[in-house]
C-alpha cells in the first residue's frame, strides 16, 4: 500500500523533524498505512521496545493495545521495521549527495518527506554512482550544452547549431544530435515525476505476458497453459503469478510486464514537449529511447518484484488457513469421546461428546486426594462409556493430568 505523499508531508511537518528523534513520526505513519488507532500503535511499539513478544502482547496486554490481535501486532512490527530501513536508506542518500556537493534545500526537503522506497530511489537516481552510460560518453565529448539548448526548445535549426560542437570525436551534426539525444534520454529517465507517472500507469493497467522459450515445449508441458498467455496484472491470482514465475526461473517461459507504450509516450511528451519546432521532434525520439531503454525496464523490474512478493504473501495466507483448519480438525476423526479436565481438590470434570462435538453428558469425579474416590469414579466412567457408546478418552494436559492418566489406565477397562 502506498501512502499519500501529501499526508505524509503534513504529518512530517507536525513532527518537527529532528534526525535524533525521527522515530517519533513512525506511529502516525503506521497508523495511517494500516488504518489502526494511533494510541494502539504507540502502545505496541513501546511494548516491543521493552522486549515483549507478539504472542505476549496479544494475550496479556489487550488493555494497552485496545484488543489488537497477533496479525495486527505483527503488521505493526513489520511496518515499523520497513520504515526504519527507509530512514537508514535516506540517511545514506543524503550523505552521498551532500558529499557530492549537490544537496540543495529543495531536494533535501523532498528526501526527508519521502517514505516510499521507489520514489526515494527516483530522487536519488540522478546522483547515483553508475556504470558509464551512452549519456556519459556524450557529455565527455562536450555535447551537454547542445542537449540543454535542445531541451529548452528555442532553436529553429538545431542541425546548424550542432555544427558548433564538431570535434575530433564528432564529425557530423547528425552525430552531435544523436549524442545529445542520449543525454536527453537520461535526463528524462532521471525526472522523478516522469517515472512516477509511468509507475502509476503500470499500477493501473499493467499486463503480464508469457511465451514459450523455443525448444522447451516438452520440458515445460506442465506449464502449457502459459505458453502464450496474457492477463491484467491486477487481476492475476497469486497461484498463477507464482506458476508463471516458477516456469521463468526454470527457463521454460519468457515473462514480461508492460503497458501501452504509445500512451506512455503521449504522457511523457505532454511533460517535456512544449513547442512544434525541430527540437520537439528530437525530444520525441529521445523520449521513446528513454522509455524503451531506461524507464520501462527499471519499472518493469519493480513490478515483477512487487507482484511476486504480493503473490508469496497471498500463498502464505492460503497455506496458513489450510494448516489452521487441519490443526483444528478432530484428531481421531468423528468419534464419540469422553473428555476429562483433571484436578485434585476440585475433582475431574468429565464430559461426553458425540461425533460432532455436541455435549451428551457432564459431571465431576474425585479419584485423587483428598477425596480419593477411585472405585466410585471408575464405576462412573465405565457406566458413561457403556451408556453413550464412547470410543475414546481425552485427558487435558494440566494439573493432575499424569495422575488422571494413571487412574484411567489402572481402573478403567
Amino acid at each position: 500500500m502506498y501512502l499519500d505523499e501529501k499526508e505524509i508531508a503534513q504529518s512530517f511537518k507536525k513532527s518537527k523533524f529532528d534526525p535524533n528523534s525521527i522515530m517519533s513520526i513512525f506511529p502516525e505513519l503506521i497508523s495511517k498505512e494500516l488504518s489502526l488507532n494511533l494510541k494502539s500503535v504507540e502502545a505496541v511499539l513501546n511494548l516491543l521496545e521493552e522486549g515483549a513478544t507478539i504472542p505476549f502482547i496479544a494475550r496479556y496486554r489487550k488493555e494497552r493495545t485496545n484488543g489488537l490481535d497477533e496479525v495486527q501486532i505483527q503488521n505493526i512490527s513489520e511496518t515499523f521495521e520497513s520504515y526504519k530501513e527507509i530512514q537508514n536508506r535516506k540517511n545514506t542518500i543524503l550523505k552521498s549527495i551532500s558529499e557530492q556537493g549537490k544537496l540543495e534545500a529543495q531536494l533535501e526537503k523532498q528526501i526527508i518527506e519521502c517514505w516510499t522506497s521507489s520514489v526515494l530511489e527516483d530522487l536519488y537516481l540522478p546522483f547515483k554512482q553508475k556504470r558509464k552510460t551512452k549519456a556519459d560518453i556524450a557529455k565527455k565529448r562536450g555535447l551537454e550544452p547542445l542537449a540543454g539548448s535542445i531541451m529548452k526548445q528555442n532553436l529553429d535549426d538545431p542541425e546548424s547549431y550542432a555544427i558548433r560542437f564538431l570535434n575530433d570525436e564528432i564529425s557530423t551534426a547528425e552525430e552531435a544530435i544523436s549524442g545529445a539525444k542520449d543525454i536527453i534520454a537520461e535526463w528524462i529517465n532521471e525526472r522523478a515525476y516522469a517515472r512516477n507517472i509511468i509507475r502509476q500507469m503500470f499500477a493501473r493497467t499493467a499486463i503480464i505476458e508469457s511465451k514459450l522459450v523455443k525448444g522447451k515445449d516438452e520440458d515445460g508441458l506442465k506449464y502449457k497453459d502459459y505458453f502464450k498467455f496474457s492477463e491484467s496484472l491486477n487481476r492475476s491470482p497469486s497461484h498463477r503469478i507464482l506458476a508463471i514465475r516458477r516456469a521463468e526461473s526454470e527457463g521454460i517461459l519468457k515473462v514480461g510486464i508492460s503497458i501501452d507504450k504509445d500512451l506512455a509516450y503521449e504522457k511523457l511528451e505532454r511533460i517535456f514537449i512544449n513547442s512544434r519546432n525541430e527540437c520537439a521532434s528530437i525530444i520525441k525520439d529521445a523520449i521513446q529511447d528513454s522509455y524503451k531503454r531506461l524507464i520501462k525496464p527499471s519499472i518493469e523490474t519493480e513490478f515483477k518484484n512487487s507482484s511476486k512478493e504480493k503473490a508469496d504473501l497471498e500463498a502464505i495466507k492460503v497455506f496458513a488457513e489450510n494448516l489452521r483448519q487441519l490443526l483444528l480438525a478432530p484428531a481421531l476423526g468423528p468419534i464419540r469421546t469422553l473428555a476429562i479436565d483433571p484436578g485434585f481438590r476440585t475433582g475431574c470434570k468429565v464430559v461426553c461428546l458425540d461425533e460432532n462435538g455436541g455435549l451428551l453428558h457432564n459431571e465431576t469425579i474425585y479419584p485423587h486426594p483428598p477425596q480419593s474416590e477411585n472405585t466410585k469414579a471408575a464405576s462412573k466412567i465405565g457406566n458413561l462409556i457403556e451408556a453413550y457408546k464412547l470410543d475414546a478418552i481425552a485427558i487435558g494436559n494440566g494439573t493432575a493430568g499424569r495422575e488422571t492418566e494413571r487412574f484411567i489406565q489402572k481402573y478403567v477397562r
Side-chain angles (χ1 to χ4, degrees), residues 34 36 44 66-77:
L34 301 180
L36 294 174
V44 169
N66 199 26
L68 295 183
D69 60 29
E70 290 91 339
V71 174
Q72 291 170 313
I73 296 169
Q74 180 72 34
N75 288 340
I76 290 172
S77 176

Side-chain angles (χ1 to χ4, degrees), residues 16 26 74 102 135 147 165 171 176 225 235 291 411 413:
K16 297 181 180 178
F26 288 175
Q74 180 72 34
K102 299 178 181 179
F165 297 89
S171 56
D225 290 343
R235 295 179 182 176
Y291 176 79
Y411 290 98
R413 292 288 182 266

Side-chain angles (χ1 to χ4, degrees), residues 31-271:
S31 172
K32 286 181 179 178
E33 180 167 352
L34 301 180
S35 300
L36 294 174
N37 179 272
L38 177 58
K39 289 185 177 180
S40 297
V41 172
E42 290 174 337
V44 169
L45 293 178
N46 287 332
L47 287 165
L48 290 171
E49 184 66 22
E50 292 168 10
T53 64
I54 290 172
F56 177 86
I57 296 170
R59 177 67 179 84
Y60 299 109
R61 292 296 179 265
K62 290 182 182 292
E63 75 286 351
R64 289 181 62 178
T65 67
N66 199 26
L68 295 183
D69 60 29
E70 290 91 339
V71 174
Q72 291 170 313
I73 296 169
Q74 180 72 34
N75 288 340
I76 290 172
S77 176
E78 291 176 353
T79 307
F80 177 65
E81 293 301 320
S82 175
Y83 279 128
K84 285 204 298 185
E85 288 178 8
I86 291 175
Q87 180 56 41
N88 290 336
R89 180 61 175 158
K90 289 192 330 188
N91 291 340
T92 301
I93 289 172
L94 287 168
K95 181 180 178 182
S96 174
I97 299 175
S98 178
E99 289 174 349
Q100 296 175 42
K102 299 178 181 179
L103 186 59
E104 298 177 356
Q106 179 62 26
L107 175 61
E108 183 179 22
K109 180 174 180 292
Q110 286 180 301
I111 293 172
I112 288 172
E113 294 179 356
C114 177
W115 291 100
T116 304
S117 294
S118 56
V119 176
L120 182 62
E121 295 302 327
D122 286 349
L123 292 171
Y124 183 44
L125 187 60
F127 311 95
K128 195 172 186 178
Q129 299 300 315
K130 48 186 178 283
R131 293 176 298 174
K132 197 172 219 181
T133 65
K134 295 170 73 173
D136 291 332
I137 296 171
K139 288 175 184 177
K140 191 174 180 181
R141 291 175 176 175
L143 295 175
E144 194 166 10
L146 173 59
S149 297
I150 293 172
M151 271 299 263
K152 291 177 183 177
Q153 300 171 56
N154 55 10
L155 298 175
D156 293 327
D157 188 358
E159 283 200 20
S160 297
Y161 185 74
I163 293 174
R164 303 181 185 184
F165 297 89
L166 302 185
N167 53 41
D168 293 340
E169 297 178 294
I170 302 170
S171 56
T172 66
E174 288 78 9
E175 286 182 25
I177 290 176
S178 178
K181 283 182 185 178
D182 292 335
I183 297 172
I184 294 169
E186 187 171 274
W187 284 344
I188 291 169
N189 176 56
E190 291 173 349
R191 296 298 191 270
Y193 52 84
R195 291 176 63 87
N196 201 41
I197 284 175
I198 301 302
R199 184 177 290 111
Q200 289 172 8
M201 289 181 66
F202 267 80
R204 292 193 305 267
T205 66
I207 300 294
I208 183 168
E209 299 173 297
S210 62
K211 61 180 181 179
L212 179 68
V213 173
K214 190 175 180 180
K216 293 288 185 176
D217 47 337
E218 291 186 9
D219 294 340
L221 196 58
K222 63 182 177 180
Y223 300 112
K224 64 180 180 180
D225 290 343
Y226 307 116
F227 283 180
K228 190 176 182 182
F229 178 80
S230 176
E231 183 178 47
S232 168
L233 183 62
N234 285 335
R235 295 179 182 176
S236 192
S238 61
H239 69 270
R240 194 170 295 153
I241 295 287
L242 293 176
I244 291 172
R245 294 301 301 275
R246 191 161 54 248
E248 180 185 28
S249 68
E250 293 174 12
I252 306 298
L253 299 177
K254 287 184 179 179
V255 180
I257 297 175
S258 61
I259 57 175
D260 184 334
K261 68 176 186 298
D262 293 328
L263 184 57
Y265 296 158
E266 183 181 330
K267 295 273 188 182
L268 293 173
E269 286 169 11
R270 288 178 186 174
I271 297 173

